[in-house]
């Protein structure tokens, strides 16, 4: 068997020529099963390779899709280095540098500025804070000109809110191409509703999977819900478990529903509950709790930069 595998990796799957000296073989772009000496050989061999290729490509996709992400797509606060909470009201995206900073670090910076009578600045890059929405927009456009995917996503979200769906689609598409996970998720909504683009279920699923692979808990939950609706309970359970370990409340609720229906074992649910709580606890800190209490008692003083 090993000799057969070696032959596959060292010889062209179509003509059988070996990889020696100036003859270089190229892997099939969709799977790792076959190698070819030329495009012509790859095309000639496709009828024989197609079935195995599609099967292996699907397996590789699932390996990637069901791999547990190291963290959510939000990552850590760049200042305190503690995982960012999933609740968007507890973080602030800075227009000047596109960094998403936790409420705790923003609050600590505000206290420092008040105590030392300093001008208001970004807690990360220390640039002066914008004093108006117009200045904020100029900073975002400056970041977009620098090819910043986060700024592109933010402008796309702004266009979406205004009902300028085609413009939103273009910004989200560019941001997604540059690796912005949230942009992938927002493209799902556009493809689902047909806003700014024709409805396309295939592309919807592609972007949903890309967002989930990138660590988006909401996308992971949506994929699980789709799998459950289609009767694929094992795949649904895997998605919900991954979502739960990222701290997603909806995933844990659906796991509990599946447990009540007898589709999830007690020990599986118990492990998911522990992982969910651990993910939530990991986003907490005394500084963040102090900030949350302050903003809760002084909502009128809170300004999202």
């Amino acid at each position: 068997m090993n000799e057969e595998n070696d032959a596959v990796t060292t010889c062209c799957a179509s003509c059988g020529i070996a990889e020696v000296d100036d003859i270089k073989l190229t892997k099939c772009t969709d799977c790792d099963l076959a190698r070819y000496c030329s495009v012509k050989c790859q095309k000639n061999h496709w009828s024989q390779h197609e079935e195995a290729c599609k099967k292996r490509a699907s397996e590789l996709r699932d390996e990637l899709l069901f791999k547990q992400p190291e963290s959510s797509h939000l990552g850590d606060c760049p200042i305190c280095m503690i995982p960012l909470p999933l609740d968007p009201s507890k973080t602030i995206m800075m227009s000047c540098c596109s960094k998403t900073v936790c409420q705790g670090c923003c609050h600590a910076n505000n206290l420092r500025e008040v105590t030392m009578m300093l001008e208001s600045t970004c807690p990360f890059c220390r640039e002066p804070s914008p004093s108006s929405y117009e200045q904020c927009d100029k900073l975002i456009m400056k970041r977009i000109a620098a090819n910043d995917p986060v700024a592109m996503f933010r402008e796309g979200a702004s266009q979406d809110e205004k009902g300028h769906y085609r413009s939103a689609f273009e910004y989200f598409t560019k941001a997604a191409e540059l690796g912005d996970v949230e942009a992938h998720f927002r493209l799902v909504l556009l493809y689902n509703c047909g806003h700014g683009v024709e409805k396309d279920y295939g592309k919807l699923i592609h972007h949903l999977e890309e967002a989930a692979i990138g660590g988006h808990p909401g996308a992971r939950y949506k994929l699980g819900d789709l799998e459950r609706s289609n009767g694929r309970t094992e795949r649904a359970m895997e998605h919900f478990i991954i979502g739960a370990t990222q701290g997603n409340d909806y995933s844990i609720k659906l796991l509990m529903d599946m447990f009540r229906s007898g589709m999830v074992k007690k020990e599986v649910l118990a492990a998911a509950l522990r992982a969910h709580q651990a993910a939530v606890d990991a986003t907490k800190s005394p500084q963040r709790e102090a900030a949350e209490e302050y903003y809760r008692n002084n909502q009128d003083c809170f300004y999202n930069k």
Side-chain angles (χ1 to χ4, degrees), residues 1-304:
M1 181 63 71
N2 289 335
E3 291 180 0
E4 291 179 4
N5 290 338
D6 289 342
V8 169
T9 57
T10 59
C11 298
C12 175
S14 180
C15 67
I17 192 170
E19 184 176 39
V20 291
D21 299 329
D22 59 338
I23 299 175
K24 301 298 180 183
L25 302 182
T26 304
K27 282 185 178 181
C28 172
T29 54
D30 293 328
C31 71
D32 54 5
L33 297 177
R35 301 176 74 189
Y36 301 97
C37 64
S38 65
V39 174
K40 180 181 178 181
C41 274
Q42 186 170 7
K43 289 181 178 179
N44 291 339
H45 191 249
W46 177 242
S47 61
Q48 301 174 55
H49 179 57
E50 182 177 7
E51 184 177 350
C53 180
K54 289 182 177 180
K55 180 181 178 182
R56 181 56 181 159
S58 178
E59 291 171 352
L60 290 173
R61 182 66 173 177
D62 275 357
E63 287 177 13
L64 184 62
L65 182 60
F66 289 106
K67 183 179 179 181
Q68 177 70 51
E70 293 182 5
S71 66
S72 81
H73 65 298
L74 298 173
D76 299 337
C77 171
I79 298 176
C80 66
M81 302 307 293
I82 296 175
L84 289 166
L86 300 182
D87 184 350
S89 68
K90 296 181 180 180
T91 60
I92 304 173
M93 201 284 275
M94 300 297 158
S95 305
C96 46
C97 56
S98 292
K99 296 296 183 183
T100 300
V101 181
C102 76
Q103 201 175 57
C105 288
C106 289
H107 179 56
N109 183 58
N110 291 340
L111 290 178
R112 179 187 66 86
E113 291 169 348
V114 170
T115 302
M116 300 178 69
M117 294 183 290
L118 302 172
E119 67 172 346
S120 179
T121 61
C122 169
F124 181 79
C125 70
R126 301 305 189 196
E127 283 292 313
S129 300
S131 57
S132 66
Y133 288 114
E134 287 74 17
Q135 285 188 13
C136 199
D137 289 339
K138 287 181 180 179
L139 289 172
I140 291 174
M141 297 312 294
K142 183 179 179 180
R143 296 299 306 172
I144 291 174
N147 236 23
D148 185 330
V150 177
M152 290 177 187
F153 163 76
R154 187 169 181 180
E155 182 61 22
S158 176
Q159 294 296 318
D160 192 21
E161 290 175 5
K162 296 174 183 176
H164 302 161
Y165 300 123
R166 186 61 198 178
S167 179
F169 173 77
E170 291 172 356
Y171 277 113
F172 288 150
T173 299
K174 182 61 176 177
E177 289 172 353
L178 292 173
D180 190 86
V181 174
E182 194 70 53
H184 279 292
F185 189 64
R186 292 297 287 268
L187 282 169
V188 171
L189 304 180
L190 295 183
Y191 277 115
N192 183 57
C193 300
H195 287 166
V197 65
E198 290 185 11
K199 291 184 178 183
D200 191 317
Y201 187 74
K203 291 182 179 178
L204 180 155
I205 292 298
H206 168 75
H207 286 291
L208 198 57
E209 289 183 349
E210 287 298 311
I213 290 169
H216 197 295
R220 183 67 65 177
Y221 158 75
K222 289 289 186 183
L223 279 174
D225 200 26
L226 283 173
E227 295 287 15
R228 188 180 71 147
S229 299
N230 291 326
R232 295 190 283 264
T233 56
E234 285 296 323
R235 292 174 67 87
M237 182 179 69
E238 287 188 59
H239 282 305
F240 292 145
I241 289 173
I242 294 174
T245 60
Q246 294 178 301
N248 183 263
D249 293 339
Y250 294 109
S251 290
I252 203 70
K253 287 177 182 177
L254 283 184
L255 271 177
M256 293 176 74
D257 288 344
M258 293 177 73
F259 168 71
R260 296 188 190 98
S261 301
M263 292 183 283
V264 173
K265 294 181 179 180
K266 183 178 180 180
E267 55 269 28
V268 172
L269 176 63
L273 285 167
R274 289 193 296 271
H276 176 269
Q277 189 60 53
V280 173
D281 290 343
T283 66
K284 296 180 179 179
S285 73
Q287 182 171 269
R288 291 182 181 181
E289 291 173 1
E292 190 172 348
E293 182 178 359
Y294 174 82
Y295 290 126
R296 186 168 52 245
N297 296 330
N298 301 273
Q299 291 182 11
D300 293 338
C301 299
F302 181 64
Y303 171 60
N304 188 327

